[in-house]
């Protein structure tokens, strides 16, 4: 088989893709998580002003990820990014107990959005590398997730800093989400 045939086959093989929205409070680790997934350097992360967009290739899937800033002043604009989302990824800093009520409130608002009805939810229980972090199972209880019945959901313990647990979350997406043909 010649090079031209190989290129034609590659071009004809439909790549599956999904649009992911990455949200969470400021300092939850969203950008670090996204840079880890994209195999980029994480030694210098600055707070996201606005948004970041990255395409992550994994296991034959193309994940188009929108990382939107989590500062209080930016959160009202989250709703402008909810169209055509295949998966909502919500990142929680599990070591910051002082902000649990705030993050629960923001997540609850998102789950009430009509545009996100039935959209699968992946929650990354981030900063598990810190001794002060609550576990993923404690987070499930805190968020009262057992009452969420209108969508698939998963809580994945992770550390964006060490990348532990990130691939497990992406594997869940690849297994449970209906992908679109490119």
């Amino acid at each position: 088989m010649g090079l031209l045939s190989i290129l034609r086959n590659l071009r004809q093989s439909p790549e599956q893709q999904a649009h992911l929205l990455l949200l969470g409070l400021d300092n939850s680790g969203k950008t670090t998580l996204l840079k880890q997934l994209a195999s980029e350097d994480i030694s210098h992360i600055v707070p996201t002003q606005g948004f970041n967009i990255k395409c992550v290739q994994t296991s034959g899937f193309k994940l188009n990820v929108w990382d939107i800033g989590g500062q209080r002043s930016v959160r009202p604009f989250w709703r402008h990014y909810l169209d055509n989302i295949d998966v909502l990824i919500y990142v929680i800093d599990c070591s910051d107990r002082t902000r649990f009520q705030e993050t629960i409130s923001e997540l609850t608002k998102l789950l009430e959005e009509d545009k996100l009805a039935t959209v699968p939810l992946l929650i990354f229980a981030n900063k598990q590398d810190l001794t002060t972090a609550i576990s993923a199972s404690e987070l499930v209880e805190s968020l009262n997730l057992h009452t969420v019945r209108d969508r698939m959901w998963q809580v994945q313990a992770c550390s964006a800093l060490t990348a532990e647990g990130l691939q497990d979350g992406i594997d869940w997406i690849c297994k449970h989400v209906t992908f679109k043909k490119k």
Side-chain angles (χ1 to χ4, degrees):
M1 186 187 297
L3 179 59
L4 187 55
S5 298
I6 293 171
L7 291 174
R8 278 189 191 129
N9 286 341
L10 283 175
R11 189 172 189 171
Q12 291 173 352
S13 64
E15 185 178 70
Q16 295 181 324
Q17 64 179 337
H19 298 278
L20 285 57
L21 183 60
L22 182 61
L23 298 176
L25 302 185
D26 51 303
N27 200 40
S28 61
K30 298 178 301 297
T31 302
T32 304
L33 188 145
L34 182 56
K35 285 184 171 266
Q36 281 282 21
L37 292 174
S39 300
E40 294 180 5
D41 180 30
I42 62 163
S43 61
H44 182 68
I45 304 287
V46 296
T48 301
Q49 301 296 319
F51 60 88
N52 295 310
I53 304 170
K54 298 236 182 270
C55 290
V56 177
Q57 301 282 342
T58 182
S59 307
F61 298 103
K62 179 180 178 184
L63 306 177
N64 300 303
V65 186
W66 286 68
D67 164 24
I68 312 298
Q71 297 87 349
R72 191 179 310 262
S73 62
V74 175
R75 290 181 220 151
F77 299 102
W78 284 357
R79 67 180 340 160
H80 298 290
Y81 296 91
L82 304 180
D83 292 322
N84 303 314
I85 296 302
D86 299 308
V87 179
L88 172 62
I89 301 175
Y90 196 81
V91 182
I92 297 177
D93 176 350
C94 287
S95 70
D96 190 356
R97 295 171 195 260
T98 62
R99 297 185 78 191
F100 278 165
Q101 277 311 117
E102 185 180 3
T103 199
I104 289 168
S105 173
E106 293 298 335
L107 180 58
T108 301
K109 287 179 200 172
L110 285 167
L111 295 179
E112 292 171 352
E113 288 283 345
D114 289 339
K115 291 179 180 178
L116 291 177
T118 72
V119 170
L121 171 66
L122 172 62
I123 297 175
F124 274 117
N126 194 22
K127 302 191 182 181
Q128 293 297 312
D129 54 310
L130 302 176
T131 57
T132 56
I134 67 166
S135 68
S137 59
E138 288 175 289
L139 186 60
V140 169
E141 291 302 315
S142 296
L143 295 172
N144 211 16
L145 284 174
H146 60 277
T147 63
V148 176
R149 304 228 186 273
D150 64 341
R151 71 191 72 231
M152 289 186 299
W153 58 267
Q154 172 72 17
V155 175
Q156 177 60 55
C158 76
S159 167
L161 193 61
T162 67
E164 185 178 342
L166 298 185
Q167 190 58 51
D168 293 331
I170 297 304
D171 290 346
W172 179 84
I173 290 171
C174 292
K175 184 177 178 184
H176 291 92
V177 174
T178 304
F179 284 86
K180 300 170 184 152
K181 297 285 185 195
K182 191 165 128 178

